[in-house]
Amino acid sequence: MIPPLFDLPPNPIIPVVGMGSGFPVGRIFCVGRNYAAHAAEMGVDVDRERPFYFTKSASHAVLSGAELPYPRGTENFHHEIELAVALGAPLDDLTDAAIQSAIFGYCTALDMTRRDLQLRERQKQRPWSLGKDLEGGAVFAPITSAAEWTPTDDTHIWLNVNGDQRQTARLGDLVWSITDLIRHLSGYYRLQAGDVLLTGTPAGVGPVIAGDTLTGGINGLSDIALTITNSA
Ligand code: MN
């Protein structure tokens, strides 16, 4: 292999609760409209025929506790709290058992969104990349291994901004289950270790501004925090 002309910053390694090694982020897949109440607040219906996806660059991931400069090119920067699923192995087949054994663990994540750009592009039937794939736009709390934690329908997911609750739901509100999503996405990608799937956000998304502190969580997983600072 020839040497690189220059070095790139390394992609983040997500800490794993109780382990000395971390999870290297490979690809970041995100599901759209996976809570009916969020789809409704976005003025669209849930597509119950099949889920749909967008992606974020792994180089745009940051860890919980980060300070994120208010991004360029937007006047409506939104929070989305989500459950993330981290894969630790390729899928041998698409049975429930094989899918479960490929899941390394779970964490709380933020899908930070330039909502004005997402909606502008959506209206023109253009890709959402400017709205979704932004520097620091994927935020990850430490991962808990699947041996230590399992999502249930009653598991609570929530987000506060400056201590005020903005988003709250139960994981039972997911339209497409984690198993459904991994099985469907496997029809398009050879999923493998390092792949991370954000499973969609509940209702209550809204804007943040410089100076805001976001805190969120999913019962039983590590909490997430993010502070928005002035544009850099
Ligand atoms: Mn999202």
Side-chain angles (χ1 to χ4, degrees):
M1 191 161 72
I2 63 170
L5 285 167
F6 47 83
D7 291 325
L8 295 174
N11 291 341
I13 306 286
I14 307 175
V16 178
V17 175
M19 286 184 68
S21 305
F23 183 94
V25 179
R27 298 179 291 185
I28 303 172
F29 298 98
C30 304
V31 182
R33 299 171 201 159
N34 204 24
Y35 291 80
H38 171 61
E41 75 179 350
M42 296 296 292
V44 287
D45 293 327
V46 168
D47 187 336
R48 294 184 188 274
E49 287 184 15
R50 63 187 72 82
F52 74 96
Y53 310 92
F54 54 92
T55 57
K56 294 190 179 224
S57 307
S59 57
H60 288 165
V62 296
L63 300 178
S64 177
E67 293 192 343
L68 181 61
Y70 196 90
R72 298 179 181 187
T74 182
E75 295 179 346
N76 196 18
F77 191 40
H78 273 208
H79 56 77
E80 297 192 359
I81 189 82
E82 313 209 359
L83 170 65
V85 182
L87 296 187
L91 289 111
D92 295 328
D93 57 56
L94 297 179
T95 61
D96 284 4
I99 289 170
Q100 289 303 323
S101 69
I103 295 175
F104 172 77
Y106 302 89
C107 69
T108 308
L110 289 166
D111 165 14
M112 299 302 295
T113 301
R114 289 188 280 223
R115 189 72 69 202
D116 44 358
L117 301 190
Q118 181 203 10
L119 295 181
R120 185 185 76 190
E121 300 307 291
R122 188 181 86 179
Q123 190 173 21
K124 295 185 176 179
Q125 298 188 311
R126 291 170 175 168
W128 290 5
S129 299
L130 287 180
K132 288 293 193 178
D133 195 7
L134 58 112
E135 292 150 351
V139 188
F140 295 102
I143 291 172
T144 299
S145 79
E148 307 286 327
W149 187 86
T150 305
T152 72
D153 284 355
D154 281 338
T155 305
H156 184 210
I157 178 171
W158 56 274
L159 179 84
N160 290 354
V161 177
N162 303 326
D164 295 330
Q165 184 174 278
R166 297 281 188 87
Q167 294 186 265
T168 179
R170 306 279 163 183
L171 295 182
D173 296 334
L174 285 168
V175 173
W176 299 96
S177 72
I178 292 163
T179 305
D180 289 338
L181 292 169
I182 291 174
R183 185 176 289 118
H184 181 261
L185 193 55
S186 292
Y188 301 90
Y189 298 94
R190 288 187 292 272
L191 296 178
Q192 61 186 33
D195 289 341
V196 180
L197 175 64
L198 274 65
T199 57
T201 198
V205 301
V208 296
I209 58 172
D212 283 348
T213 297
L214 290 67
T215 53
I218 297 171
N219 284 3
L221 298 179
S222 295
D223 287 350
I224 198 166
L226 181 72
T227 300
I228 309 299
T229 62
N230 289 317
S231 297

